[in-house]
């Protein structure tokens, strides 16, 4: 079984580069399960229902998010529009599972491919240098008691590399993959851990690399140089698609190998 995870889609440039490259990557590598982090797909900050549907039309089975999930307020009603047992598009947009109880939406999704293969996707958010949330380690433990699928992908949306690595080792042998998002910088440490879990500290950004993590360089430099607030805008130059491919045993969920991509124009 082949799983493709596309890293943080950032703004219109990110959506465009994903549209251009996703189809041939899926076809060439016989991708069965496609997961996309879309939390910055709307202008670099948040996700709208229309853009979520656009990503689903590209073939995404699940869309993960992170700390910018609520930046476009209309996504809240979209996520609340279906019940927990639904398999419609709004249910397959998930937010970090370790958010406070009662937060809109759900932190994991379990589904089935046309082949009959069951899978699950969990979204977690880190606590180091991030906003307040529950313990991702113990929330992961609780979710794994509920999930029956063998193939389980975990998107860890976190700032600290140490926290992501710790979650990778903590979940090794219990999930198929632990993939980091949020920093927008792809790391070269993709590998399969000893007990069969694929790991990468950060898959990277699918968006404009002529930027500072997706934002127009001058706007970020002005913030650093003056300390004055200002509105950030998504850059558009040098778009690239960052993604990680995982080959796994569908019967056991054990990862066999990984491959990372950074595809540009």
């Amino acid at each position: 079984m082949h799983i493709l995870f596309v890293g943080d889609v950032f703004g219109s440039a990110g959506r465009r580069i994903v549209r251009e490259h996703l189809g041939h990557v899926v076809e060439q590598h016989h991708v069965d399960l496609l997961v996309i982090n879309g939390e910055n797909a709307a202008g670099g900050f948040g996700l709208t229902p229309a853009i979520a549907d656009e990503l689903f039309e590209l073939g995404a089975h699940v869309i993960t998010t992170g700390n910018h999930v609520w930046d476009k307020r209309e996504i809240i009603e979209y996520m609340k529009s279906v019940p927990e047992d639904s398999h419609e598009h709004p249910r397959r947009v998930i937010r970090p599972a370790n958010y406070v109880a009662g937060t809109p939406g759900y932190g994991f999704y379990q589904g089935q491919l046309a082949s009959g293969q069951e899978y699950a996707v969990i979204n977690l958010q880190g606590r180091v240098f991030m906003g307040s949330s529950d313990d991702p380690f113990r929330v992961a433990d609780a979710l794994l008691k509920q999930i029956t699928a063998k193939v389980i992908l975990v998107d860890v949306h976190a700032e600290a590399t140490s926290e992501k690595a710790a979650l990778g080792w903590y979940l090794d042998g219990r999930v198929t993959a632990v993939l980091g998002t949020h920093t927008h910088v792809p790391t070269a440490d993709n590998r399969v851990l000893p007990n069969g879990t694929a790991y990468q500290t950060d898959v990277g950004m699918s968006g404009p690399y002529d930027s500072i993590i997706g934002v127009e360089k001058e706007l970020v430099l002005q913030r650093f140089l003056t300390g004055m607030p200002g509105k950030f805008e998504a850059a558009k130059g040098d778009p690239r698609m960052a993604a990680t491919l995982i080959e796994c045993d569908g019967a056991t969920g054990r990862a066999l190998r990984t491959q990372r991509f950074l595809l540009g124009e």
Side-chain angles (χ1 to χ4, degrees), residues 5-75:
F5 182 90
V6 178
D8 305 57
V9 177
F10 196 97
S12 60
R15 302 199 309 273
R16 176 167 62 84
I17 202 70
V18 169
R19 281 197 304 271
E20 290 177 2
H21 287 281
L22 187 61
H24 70 78
V25 173
V26 167
E27 181 178 0
Q28 180 180 351
H29 296 281
H30 308 288
V31 171
D32 302 292
L33 174 63
L34 174 62
V35 181
I36 299 177
N37 184 292
E39 74 143 3
N40 292 312
F45 305 94
L47 177 68
T48 64
I51 290 175
D53 287 338
E54 177 185 329
L55 296 177
F56 283 124
E57 287 168 7
L58 290 176
H61 293 92
V62 179
I63 298 172
T64 58
T65 58
N67 60 304
H68 287 290
V69 62
W70 312 131
D71 283 8
K72 299 292 186 284
R73 301 287 295 177
E74 54 265 45
I75 202 67

Side-chain angles (χ1 to χ4, degrees), residues 172 190-199 247 254-258:
D172 183 26
N190 59 297
R191 63 196 189 278
V192 177
L193 299 178
N195 294 317
T197 292
Y199 174 79
E247 183 180 348
R254 185 182 179 90
L256 304 173
R257 57 188 60 88
T258 77

